[in-house]
């Protein structure tokens, strides 16, 4: 380690949706890497450690190193000529860059979708159907005396969710922290999160909807018989106890994860817990929040919603935005073989999409932006290496509770950032499509 160290206080970890903004980073300015991340959890420390400056080229076309300008020209030409271009990813870049991506989709009359479509997309649909009783994590910390986690394992996926926001911290009206809270966990199996819970409900796989509906019935005073245990795996007595606790708490919160949204029932499951929350507000104050994965996936939902009215799976081919989960979501577009060009931003569908979708991705020109080489960048025609948001790039991200957080950069990167590249592509595409396309939305500057 060199002597040339810099300390950056109040930095932000963007690895997961907790977006912890109390990091104290030690940066080795000679080696251009973070050597210490005080307050980070094990996942955050690994995130900061792995984003040292690499030695890969800033831009490649067909695997050969080129200038960033040439790569921008090639990318713009591909997008402007395509008949059904798709844009996908966006959950690990700043909101300012996400806005440019929406503008590109509008200009090329393409399709824009985010990783929400493969995680909490069903919740996005349910929010539109049922509505959302919401709160910030600060409010939860200061007020919640009943905390329910349903279909998630935060101890491993969001390690500081318990300690920073919802279980152990002392709050204004929760002076003794965990001692003043009841914590309930609902899941199909025990996980490393289970020991934190005072009450654990083991629901039968695929029966989350039935469980939520049974709780709705009990909260509303409907009598159930003991056969509910055969249906859900949870006894009537346990359900009655939980329904009573939910109705009589001062402030309840229900956090739900992909165990609810990506299993049988999907948006019906999300809708059921949102409806349960609505019922509970007849008796007390109750809120429900999805636990979000990527650092700015919530920002992607927000930016797409401001700009188009829809959170993901948006298509501009008619000259105005249309929402089409199952039709305009990227896995479906690729699996049907519809797309003829793809702009993939900070995501790696080449490694985690179904085989048919990856095969189609291989057959079309792909433009990829990522901080490091990935399976997608390797199959891409044009690949940009970008700097890392929250480490090298300032900007805005949204925490999982829709609170915007301003990032500060810890050290400079020789690589351009997503905003620079997407702005340049957007401007060049605008020149190429010219008068032929009138954007539906007010264009990003
Ligand atoms: S909980 Fe998430 S945001 Fe917070 S330090 Fe850990 S990985 Fe980073």
């Amino acid at each position: 380690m060199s002597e040339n160290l810099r300390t950056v206080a109040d930095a932000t970890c963007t690895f997961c949706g907790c977006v912890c903004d109390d990091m104290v980073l030690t940066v080795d300015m000679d080696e251009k890497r973070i050597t210490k991340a005080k307050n980070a959890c094990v996942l955050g420390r690994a995130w900061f450690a792995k984003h040292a400056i690499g030695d890969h080229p800033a831009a490649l076309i067909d695997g050969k190193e080129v200038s960033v300008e040439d790569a921008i020209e090639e990318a713009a030409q591909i997008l402007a000529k395509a008949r059904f271009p798709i844009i996908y990813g966006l959950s690990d870049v700043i909101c300012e860059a996400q806005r440019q991506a929406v503008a590109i989709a509008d200009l090329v009359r393409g399709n824009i979708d985010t990783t929400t479509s493969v995680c909490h997309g069903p919740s996005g649909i349910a929010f539109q159907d049922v509505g959302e009783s919401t709160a910030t994590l600060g409010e939860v910390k200061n007020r919640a005396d009943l905390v329910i986690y349903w279909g998630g394992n935060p101890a491993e996926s969001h390690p500081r969710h318990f300690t920073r926001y919802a279980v152990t911290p002392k709050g204004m009206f929760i002076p003794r922290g965990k001692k003043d809270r009841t914590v309930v966990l609902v899941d199909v199996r025990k996980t490393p999160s289970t020991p934190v819970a005072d009450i654990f409900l083991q629901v039968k796989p695929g029966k989350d909807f039935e469980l939520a509906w049974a709780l709705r019935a009990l909260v509303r005073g409907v009598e159930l018989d003991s056969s509910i245990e055969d249906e859900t795996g949870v006894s009537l007595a346990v359900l009655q106890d939980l329904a009573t606790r939910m109705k009589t708490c001062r402030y309840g919160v229900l956090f739900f994860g992909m165990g609810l949204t990506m299993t049988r029932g999907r948006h019906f499951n999300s809708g059921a817990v949102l409806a349960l929350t609505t019922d509970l507000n007849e008796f007390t104050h109750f809120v429900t929040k999805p636990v979000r994965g990527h650092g700015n996936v919530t920002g992607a939902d927000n930016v797409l919603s401001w700009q188009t009215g829809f959170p993901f799976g948006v298509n501009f081919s008619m000259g105005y935005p249309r929402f089409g989960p199952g039709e305009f979501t990227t896995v479906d577009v690729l699996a049907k073989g519809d797309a003829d060009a793809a702009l993939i931003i900070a995501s790696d569908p080449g490694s985690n999409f179904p085989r048919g979708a990856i095969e189609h991705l291989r057959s079309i020109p792909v433009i990829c932006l990522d901080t490091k080489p990935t399976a997608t960048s390797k199959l891409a025609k044009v690949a940009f290496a970008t700097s890392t948001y929250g480490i090298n790039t300032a900007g805005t991200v949204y925490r999982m509770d829709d609170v915007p957080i301003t990032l500060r950069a810890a050290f400079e990167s020789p690589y351009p950032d997503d905003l620079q590249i997407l702005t340049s592509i957007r401007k060049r595409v605008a020149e190429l499509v010219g008068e032929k396309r009138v954007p539906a939305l007010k264009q990003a500057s």
Side-chain angles (χ1 to χ4, degrees), residues 142-204:
N142 282 314
R143 294 178 183 276
D145 59 343
L146 176 65
V147 180
I148 301 173
Y149 288 95
W150 193 321
N153 177 15
E156 291 190 312
S157 61
H158 299 74
R160 295 185 80 210
H161 202 276
F162 290 158
T163 54
R164 186 163 151 82
Y165 301 118
V167 175
T168 51
K170 294 177 180 165
M172 204 179 294
F173 302 103
I174 308 289
R176 298 182 305 152
K178 170 99 168 48
K179 289 195 187 111
D180 288 332
R181 293 190 174 97
T182 302
V183 179
V184 180
L185 207 101
V186 184
D187 211 338
V188 294
R189 68 181 72 85
K190 289 190 173 173
T191 68
S193 296
T194 313
V196 88
D198 302 296
I199 301 168
F200 175 61
L201 273 64
Q202 187 158 356
V203 58
K204 282 185 179 174

Side-chain angles (χ1 to χ4, degrees), residues 161-363:
H161 202 276
F162 290 158
T163 54
R164 186 163 151 82
Y165 301 118
V167 175
T168 51
K170 294 177 180 165
M172 204 179 294
F173 302 103
I174 308 289
R176 298 182 305 152
K178 170 99 168 48
K179 289 195 187 111
D180 288 332
R181 293 190 174 97
T182 302
V183 179
V184 180
L185 207 101
V186 184
D187 211 338
V188 294
R189 68 181 72 85
K190 289 190 173 173
T191 68
S193 296
T194 313
V196 88
D198 302 296
I199 301 168
F200 175 61
L201 273 64
Q202 187 158 356
V203 58
K204 282 185 179 174
K207 293 292 181 181
D208 297 274
F209 179 87
E210 288 79 354
L211 191 71
W213 226 250
L215 283 167
R216 284 197 74 194
L218 292 171
V219 164
R220 293 161 76 102
V222 176
E223 286 193 13
L224 299 178
D225 64 41
S226 58
S227 66
I228 195 66
E229 185 168 358
D230 298 332
E231 185 66 22
T232 63
V234 182
S235 72
L236 181 60
V238 170
L239 286 175
Q240 283 170 329
D241 174 63
L242 180 56
T244 304
R245 287 175 188 272
M246 290 170 113
K247 285 167 73 172
T248 56
C249 70
R250 277 185 295 134
Y251 186 115
V253 57
L254 192 157
F255 292 110
F256 62 102
M258 284 168 60
L260 210 63
T261 63
M262 284 291 141
T263 53
R264 178 179 165 268
R266 293 179 178 239
H267 61 284
F268 289 108
N269 296 343
S270 302
V273 294
L274 293 171
L276 172 62
T277 306
T278 304
D279 295 338
L280 285 162
N281 277 284
E282 299 266 328
F283 303 95
T284 184
H285 191 87
F286 222 97
V287 298
T288 300
K289 293 299 295 176
V291 177
R292 305 306 306 275
H294 293 279
N296 199 25
V297 68
T298 306
D301 289 1
N302 274 279
V303 171
L304 259 73
S305 297
W306 302 328
Q307 301 264 290
T308 72
F310 310 111
F312 66 98
V314 181
N315 182 277
F316 282 94
S317 62
M318 300 290 280
Y320 54 86
R322 289 181 297 156
F323 184 40
E327 184 180 9
F328 302 135
T329 33
T330 304
V331 170
D332 305 283
V333 172
L334 288 173
K336 285 182 288 179
D338 287 344
D340 61 351
L343 170 58
I344 309 293
I345 303 162
S347 182
D348 189 17
S351 73
N352 56 38
F353 268 19
R355 191 189 300 173
I358 296 174
E359 283 311 311
H360 187 68
L361 210 49
R362 284 186 196 288
S363 71

Side-chain angles (χ1 to χ4, degrees), residues 13-20 23 39-41 43-44 158-161:
C13 174
T14 52
F15 180 72
C16 84
C18 285
V19 189
C20 300
M23 302 288 117
N39 295 335
C41 70
L43 299 179
H158 299 74
R160 295 185 80 210
H161 202 276

Side-chain angles (χ1 to χ4, degrees), residues 54-65:
D55 56 4
H56 40 287
L60 299 168
I61 297 179
D62 292 326
K64 296 193 181 65
E65 186 170 353

Side-chain angles (χ1 to χ4, degrees), residues 6-197:
R6 179 184 178 212
T7 302
V8 183
D10 300 323
T12 303
C13 174
T14 52
F15 180 72
C16 84
C18 285
V19 189
C20 300
D21 57 352
D22 59 346
M23 302 288 117
V24 182
L25 305 178
T26 305
V27 186
D28 185 324
M29 297 302 285
D30 291 335
E31 294 185 14
K32 295 278 186 194
R33 67 187 181 94
I34 291 165
T35 56
K36 194 171 166 200
K38 190 175 159 208
N39 295 335
C41 70
V42 61
L43 299 179
R45 288 198 296 276
W47 164 258
F48 287 116
K50 82 174 183 189
H51 281 100
I53 299 300
D55 56 4
H56 40 287
L60 299 168
I61 297 179
D62 292 326
K64 296 193 181 65
E65 186 170 353
V66 296
S67 68
V68 171
E69 291 71 27
D70 285 352
I72 286 168
E73 178 64 25
E74 180 72 17
Q77 293 283 353
I78 290 169
L79 291 167
K81 284 178 192 153
R83 297 186 62 209
F84 194 156
I86 59 168
I87 300 176
Y88 175 74
L90 293 166
S91 52
D92 274 320
V93 297
I94 56 174
C95 293
E96 293 82 348
Q98 292 165 345
R99 188 173 174 218
Q100 295 293 334
V102 176
I104 294 170
D106 184 5
L107 279 170
V108 298
R109 300 223 170 146
N111 206 81
I112 186 160
D113 185 35
T114 75
T115 59
T116 285
S117 67
V118 292
C119 61
H120 270 283
S123 307
I125 298 169
F127 290 142
Q128 295 192 345
D129 285 346
V130 185
E132 182 186 19
S133 173
T134 185
T136 66
L137 290 170
E139 205 178 315
V140 168
K141 173 186 163 186
N142 282 314
R143 294 178 183 276
D145 59 343
L146 176 65
V147 180
I148 301 173
Y149 288 95
W150 193 321
N153 177 15
E156 291 190 312
S157 61
H158 299 74
R160 295 185 80 210
H161 202 276
F162 290 158
T163 54
R164 186 163 151 82
Y165 301 118
V167 175
T168 51
K170 294 177 180 165
M172 204 179 294
F173 302 103
I174 308 289
R176 298 182 305 152
K178 170 99 168 48
K179 289 195 187 111
D180 288 332
R181 293 190 174 97
T182 302
V183 179
V184 180
L185 207 101
V186 184
D187 211 338
V188 294
R189 68 181 72 85
K190 289 190 173 173
T191 68
S193 296
T194 313
V196 88

